[in-house]
Amino acid sequence: MIKLTKSFPLVLTLALSVAAAQTLELYNDKPDWNSNYTKVGDLGAKSGAGFKGVTFADPSTYQAAVRTSLSTSKAPAMFTWWSGYRMKDLVESGTLQDLTPIWQKYQKAGEYGSDLAKAFTFDGKIYALPNNVAYWAVFYNKKAYKDAGITPPTTWAQLESNNAKLKARGVTAFGQSVEDRWPAFIWFEEFLTRQDPDLYERLMVGKAKYTDPGVTKVFTTWKSWMDKGYFTPASTGFGSGGTNGMAKLFAQGKLANILAGDWYTATIAGTGLKPGEDYGVFILPTMNAKAKPVIIYEASPLIVSKNAVNKAQALKVADFWMSAKAQTLWSNLQSFTPVNNEVTVDNPVTKELTSALSKSKPRLINRIWEATPTEIIEPGVDELSKFMLDPSTQSQVQANLQKLADAYWNKQK
Amino acid sequence: MTVTQQGRTPARRASARCSTAASLTPYLFVLPAVFFVVVFLLAPMLYTFWQSFTDADGLRTPNFVGLRNYAELFTSSNFTLSLRNTLIWVVASVVLPVSLAFAMALALERVVGGNFFRTALYLPSTLAAAAAGVLFSFIFDPTSGVLNAALGALGFDSLSQTEWLFRSPLNTWSMIATYTWQSVGANLMIFLIGLQSLPREPLEAAKIDGASGLKFTRLITLPLMTPYVTIASLMAAVNGFKVFDLIWVMTQGGPARSSETLVVTMYREGFILFHQGVSAAIAVVISLIALAFSYFYLRNVMDKESHV
């Protein structure tokens, strides 16, 4: 009895730790999404593919924690990351699991197209699953549009005319922000891809310069919009937080449009606006009316660590994650544009965007954050912020951006 | 000889054992502390020093790159700006919270209801720096912050649209104001304790001799308070070097890196760009500056005190 009493806590601790070890953890830096990860994990548990979300509030702490553990046995079994150049580093370190067989299984069944995997493919191997693929579109306030007597634009000229009408009514046309640094790239990539998507693609891989006339034109257009009062001050908060959060201004009708990834629907929903009823969505038109429509996309990967202790379980979860069952729940919980062909979503704004995408079949262009090397865009957003706060720095900003690009690309030669 | 030796050995051995145990005992007491200092302070310091000569990125095996990280630092305009901001922070965090606290302590000695003011002034020190940062971010909000609203209501229309945290060097000064608000209370306590423990005799003698007001403070109180001022100033300077949480919460060192200090630059290089070698080099530079500053400051102050 004494022995039993003494050993009981030990047995309990062991039992608990075994139970804990069996619950696979999905590391992420998205606190707002975390409970939904766990909900999908609960569904997976029914077929032995359970997991729970473990979230980090600060993305830089998260990146440091994941990067430093990847080469050890403490590596997280599954984790969210960023695609493109941000993922390349990890792939080259040899710490990521090749997930090509799982993709092949679902591609053969027709559930996924071949394009989607491109963002996660390195040397012919696919190293991630789609956490989500976000399309960057314009969310517009229906009441503000109605009051100004305008409709979603289909041409650049109509867009400019809408901006002027909104301005005349005291409503700011678009939001822009330097808060948290990264949103500073949004309008640079949007103006450039609408003006000359080929130039954008060349710039991303170092085959064009930030001082080229085409890029100068982008800054000129951007500055002219600021001068005309079409943008909020750059000090506006990007989310709904703070007293001047963009989503809050949008809900109040002081701001007519927000250009963001489709994951922003959750932020707008947080202000109480109803999708479809209070706000809708459209794709930003191109400057040349005859050009093919263009849209920025952001592919967010879900990765399995090669060194994780419970890798076998992680692969089981990875298989479940790709299934229509898991994706139906995930896409609906998050109001994401579905990536699995068999999935449909209920959110009317997401439906509207999905329908616009299938109707206009735009050219898909990778977001600058992933499309160009981190060494350029990380300090690059600080340069773009400088321009947004003081447009007179334009030529200095362009020169500094090119200096960053030269420093990186020259090292690659 | 043998007999003598044999006869003495047990006693000698016992005595030797006692003296060995006695001489080892103090070392055993300090051993845990030494262990923690070595494992959690000295070893990481040495590791950081070594890392500053490598291209460590947190993923691959680091390569030795000599002085490249230091050369990159000293030729970078961001580092220069960061160093300038750090110096502003150090000077301002010594001058403002310490002198304000000293003035307040003198005033509180004389005013009625001193206890209430003491509590009210000390209260901000109990807040986490991050919480103070969030609070003042709302106050400094350009669109609907309390500060701009108050300026507008007072008729300062041209100031009521000020982007306090988005213009350099205004953003650094706005954060220093927040820091002052938060840290003045702790210094105030040091000075209040100091004032209460001053010897009565010289104070009373000076009063009998007719000293009063500013002259009394300058010639009598201030010299007697020197040890307290020294400690408060040194702590303020070191804290000024270390400020991170407040800056990270309020501006993240931005916009466009304009409000970065060395500590923020170190964090950005290490945990955002993953240039951990460069980050380690900045850590070494910070440590050297803080060490040199503390050494010269203490030597100067102690020299003065020994002359007194």
Side-chain angles (χ1 to χ4, degrees), chain A residues 58 60-61 63-64 67-68 70 89-90 92-93 178 180-181 233 235 242-244 375 378-379 382 385-386 389, chain B residues 57-60 138 141-145 163 166-167 248 252 255-257 267-268 271-276:
Chain A
D58 177 41
S60 45
T61 315
Q63 288 182 60
R67 276 177 75 108
T68 47
L70 275 180
D89 250 11
L90 269 51
E92 285 171 357
S93 73
V178 296
D180 287 342
R181 302 173 58 248
S235 55
T243 45
N244 66 338
E375 307 247 344
E378 267 290 355
D382 292 321
S385 300
K386 209 182 277 174
L389 290 161
Chain B
D57 68 353
L59 272 180
R60 282 166 281 257
F138 281 108
D141 189 289
T143 318
S144 44
E163 291 174 314
F166 291 87
R167 302 287 162 189
W248 196 251
Q252 288 194 13
R257 306 189 74 165
Y267 183 79
R268 186 182 294 287
F271 297 106
I272 291 181
L273 296 172
F274 293 99
H275 297 155
Q276 292 181 346

Side-chain angles (χ1 to χ4, degrees), chain B residues 15-83:
Chain B
S15 155
R17 268 204 301 272
C18 275
S19 79
T20 310
S23 60
L24 276 179
T25 308
Y27 293 101
L28 288 174
F29 280 119
V30 295
L31 199 61
V34 169
F35 172 79
F36 284 112
V37 168
V38 169
V39 173
F40 294 109
L41 187 71
L42 293 180
M45 271 171 70
L46 288 173
Y47 181 70
T48 303
F49 186 68
W50 170 79
Q51 210 177 33
S52 73
F53 299 104
T54 70
D55 63 354
D57 68 353
L59 272 180
R60 282 166 281 257
T61 313
N63 297 307
F64 183 76
V65 294
L67 291 169
R68 194 180 78 188
N69 294 331
Y70 290 93
E72 262 180 38
L73 271 191
F74 291 111
T75 51
S76 151
S77 59
N78 284 324
F79 179 76
T80 318
L81 181 64
S82 186
L83 190 63

